[in-house]
Amino acid sequence: MHAEFKLTRRVTFAETDLAGVMHFSNYYRWMEEVEHAFFRSVGLSVVQQEGDVVYSWPRVITSCEYFAPAHFENEIELHFMITDLSEKSMTYEVAFSKGGAKVARGRTKAVCCVMKDGTFRSTEIPAFILDKLTTKR
Amino acid sequence: MHAEFKLTRRVTFAETDLAGVMHFSNYYRWMEEVEHAFFRSVGLSVVQQEGDVVYSWPRVITSCEYFAPAHFENEIELHFMITDLSEKSMTYEVAFSKGGAKVARGRTKAVCCVMKDGTFRSTEIPAFILDKLTTKR
Amino acid sequence: MHAEFKLTRRVTFAETDLAGVMHFSNYYRWMEEVEHAFFRSVGLSVVQQEGDVVYSWPRVITSCEYFAPAHFENEIELHFMITDLSEKSMTYEVAFSKGGAKVARGRTKAVCCVMKDGTFRSTEIPAFILDKLTTKR
Amino acid sequence: MHAEFKLTRRVTFAETDLAGVMHFSNYYRWMEEVEHAFFRSVGLSVVQQEGDVVYSWPRVITSCEYFAPAHFENEIELHFMITDLSEKSMTYEVAFSKGGAKVARGRTKAVCCVMKDGTFRSTEIPAFILDKLTTKR
């Protein structure tokens, strides 16, 4: 059983481009925002200090498929779903929709790492984090 | 035969994040920058006015795989390669490297559209554009 | 009497830089976000269609003073206050604070314009907009 | 005698907004880019490691006045000029122009700091840096 989480986010002016729609790169920032909001909702941070160790989740691969444009001030629903967990990595998808209509769908694979000064070493997902990723709320 | 293009780009301060490396979403902005620089290098713009019509290239799907972090002021080489052309769409890849070492590899599929006030209608790639996309320089 | 408005906003990961704090340029994006949220709160948009005419508010001058850094996931309170209104322009300030402590203070002077295809012509603030800017809520 | 530096920069697609022009917040990123390019041009970095110490330049106050919009793919000239130096701080201005016509003018006051884990302690500008800031090239 994997965790899910929902968030609503409004397109800001600075996120639009001259085509009058949200710039495609901003979907990736939103994917990260809903991921981090999920972590907070279970009492964690995506940058989790635990004693001397700081856990973080660098991305291995990201992708996004675009179905319809999002315009300035549109309210977009983000549905975050963890779709796969391995010993050291998490894959999640985010479904973006507007009033029930599909806008985009993104996917991120991130690896659990110990972070230090801009370097990263992959590590097994600690039990206290894994527990939160596998609980359907 | 498909077009290729190369560009060097330096990581700016604002593009880094608290992990000390370039934020993963910025690779997508760089993919677009090298694409647009390619268009300029063949005498076109990615937003091409032709009489009354404005051609543009909304993204259908984008993805990026990350191999190594890029740090502040690193010089990154971007190698843009068109890998597929259909009647209405173009797919390209961008290989990111640093001193010969792989940093990331991205892919974009974009559809040729007539753009008007934030709406887009897909269209056959016009011959004067297609010609530039298929010329190895 | 001038309008005021408050908003709380959390620092996202992408908004931080390698110094571990929110990048100074993002305060300007936040100033705009609280301004636009104010417009929505009074039933308007900062890009207001009225018949054939689209009103918008290009910036004439912006500034920001920084007192203390904002870190990832900090909740920052934004206090938006219109401080001056002339026939064609609005000046507002935004006080940024964290748990009551001052973080930054920004100011924007924006001119009411009729917007068309990336060109702007300044115009008197229409009464239906002015009314909202001068009502203390 | 204060240092000066020039740079040309092209407006990218992601930097534009729905008004069809460069978003006003991006001028601040450009001000930083030309500042950092100046530091590199004199053999330094804005994040300068010197033994155990890392010097950096957090902003105290920034401002920008806007005269004319910058459009997608416009080439903008940036003229960086240090206008004031005190024991611990540097003030510089950046004149933005397009084919000789004024686009914007920004100003930044930054304080020389020793940086550690997202905290900053102001310090006298070290002689090896001050020397570069006061040499007209």
Side-chain angles (χ1 to χ4, degrees), chain D residues 11 16 27 38 40 43 47-49 52-53 56 67-68 71 80 86-87 93 110-111 130 134 137:
Chain D
V11 179
T16 63
Y27 289 88
F38 158 72
R40 283 193 299 274
V47 182
Q48 183 70 29
Q49 180 103 31
D52 288 351
V53 176
S56 186
F67 306 118
H71 292 87
F80 168 88
S86 75
E87 230 179 48
E93 296 190 19
V111 171
L130 189 60
T134 49
R137 293 155 61 80

Side-chain angles (χ1 to χ4, degrees), chain A residues 19 23 28 32 60 62 64 66 118, chain B residues 19 23 28 32 60 62 64 66 118:
Chain A
H23 190 260
Y28 289 97
E32 187 169 73
V60 178
T62 59
C64 191
Y66 309 94
Chain B
H23 191 261
Y28 289 97
E32 187 168 75
V60 177
T62 60
C64 190
Y66 309 94

Side-chain angles (χ1 to χ4, degrees), chain B residues 20-56:
Chain B
V21 302
M22 182 154 90
H23 191 261
F24 80 98
S25 66
N26 289 321
Y27 290 88
Y28 289 97
R29 300 196 170 207
W30 289 30
M31 285 163 62
E32 187 168 75
E33 283 182 32
V34 66
E35 171 196 356
H36 295 183
F38 158 72
F39 272 86
R40 282 193 299 273
S41 77
V42 294
L44 297 174
S45 171
V46 80
V47 181
Q48 182 70 31
Q49 180 103 30
E50 197 67 15
D52 288 350
V53 176
V54 178
Y55 293 103
S56 185

Side-chain angles (χ1 to χ4, degrees), chain C residues 52 61 71 79 97 113:
Chain C
D52 287 352
I61 184 161
H71 292 87
H79 185 177
S97 60
C113 282

